[in-house]
Amino acid sequence: MQKQLAAEALGTFWLVFGGCGSAVLATAFPEVGIGLLGVSLAFGLTVVTMAYAVGGISGGHFNPAVSVGLAVGGRFPSSQLLPYILAQLVGAILAAAALYVIASGKAGADLGGFAANGYGTHSPGGYSLLSALLIEVILTGFFLIVILGATHGRAPKGFAPLAIGLALTLIHLISIPVTNTSVNPARSTSQALFAGGWAIGQLWLFWVAPILGAVIGATIWKSFGEKDDDIVGGVPRDDRPVTTGR
């Protein structure tokens, strides 16, 4: 269990450091800024790389909503939910702390919203609370459907991280303008803690919506009646990552 939790913390650290780091440090860097496309790809790449690196140890959730959805879908024991979520939060917060120190090291640094998630006046595109709620629920729901399908016993072995990483990239391409994209309460919490103020006040949405979406997505998948006995305690019997989340 200690190895599983360490793998979850490490994977979530990489997700936040790589994904949010690309947004904070590289989005609008003079002449070579990566923009929305680059940030979307960065988040997808963090999932793919860590899924292959440590997914065989912990299942590679890296996301409290994914852990909840997998528990609802019958792929993960609910008794391990709290330890997994705490490990994910530790990894995310450590990554945000490291990123904050690095970003603050530039003379005259303006960290802006520090890649925090928001709605209303704090939405990148000025979208409302309702818009933010709907897009986070819908995208997290489909994210769980992709995860459960890609890691099913009938799916081609070894390709699950690619499918899930591409799904996460697509999710960011759709929703960065609306909420700066969460679908991951750990990622949202870590950035909000350093952005402070409004980000803390709006953080509740980025716990409620992703978890609700994950439950809905897992319930839809279960309604197909598909069974899979390849999962034991959240860890695969073979070297195939069970799942990975943003």
Side-chain angles (χ1 to χ4, degrees):
M1 186 64 174
Q2 290 179 344
K3 290 182 180 180
Q4 290 174 248
L5 297 180
E8 281 298 298
L10 184 66
T12 312
F13 181 102
W14 186 236
L15 185 152
V16 171
F17 190 80
C20 294
S22 70
V24 172
L25 302 175
T27 303
F29 189 77
E31 298 181 6
V32 291
I34 62 175
L36 183 153
L37 294 174
V39 173
S40 300
L41 182 59
F43 271 105
L45 289 173
T46 63
V47 166
V48 171
T49 52
M50 289 311 290
Y52 282 119
V54 300
I57 298 172
S58 69
H61 304 184
F62 316 144
N63 181 339
V66 168
S67 296
V68 170
L70 289 173
V72 172
R75 297 279 194 89
F76 183 68
S78 58
S79 61
Q80 294 184 19
L81 269 178
L82 182 58
Y84 260 58
I85 290 172
L86 290 175
Q88 291 156 0
L89 285 170
V90 167
I93 292 169
L94 288 176
L99 181 58
Y100 186 84
V101 172
I102 293 168
S104 300
K106 179 181 178 181
D110 179 9
L111 303 184
F114 200 57
N117 301 115
Y119 55 85
T121 58
H122 300 291
S123 158
Y127 289 86
S128 69
L129 168 60
L130 179 59
S131 295
L133 174 66
L134 283 175
I135 201 163
E136 290 287 333
V137 168
I138 291 169
L139 291 179
T140 312
F142 273 94
F143 193 36
L144 260 295
I145 291 171
V146 170
I147 288 169
L148 289 165
T151 58
H152 190 273
R154 296 179 184 175
K157 280 190 175 184
F159 290 97
L162 293 177
I164 296 165
L166 288 172
L168 188 57
T169 299
L170 175 60
I171 285 169
H172 279 77
L173 289 172
I174 296 168
S175 61
I176 284 178
V178 183
T179 62
N180 226 10
T181 308
S182 172
V183 303
N184 185 335
R187 169 261 192 270
S188 297
T189 299
S190 64
Q191 300 309 117
L193 290 177
F194 288 90
W198 65 266
I200 297 291
Q202 295 190 354
L203 179 59
W204 67 271
L205 178 70
F206 302 105
W207 276 86
V208 172
I211 289 177
L212 177 59
V215 170
I216 292 171
T219 302
I220 291 172
W221 174 257
K222 284 183 68 177
S223 73
F224 295 148
E226 293 293 323
K227 303 294 184 181
D228 191 335
D229 62 357
D230 287 343
I231 312 304
V232 178
V235 180
R237 289 198 175 111
D238 56 25
D239 60 356
R240 172 172 56 91
V242 177
T243 180
T244 82
R246 172 194 172 258

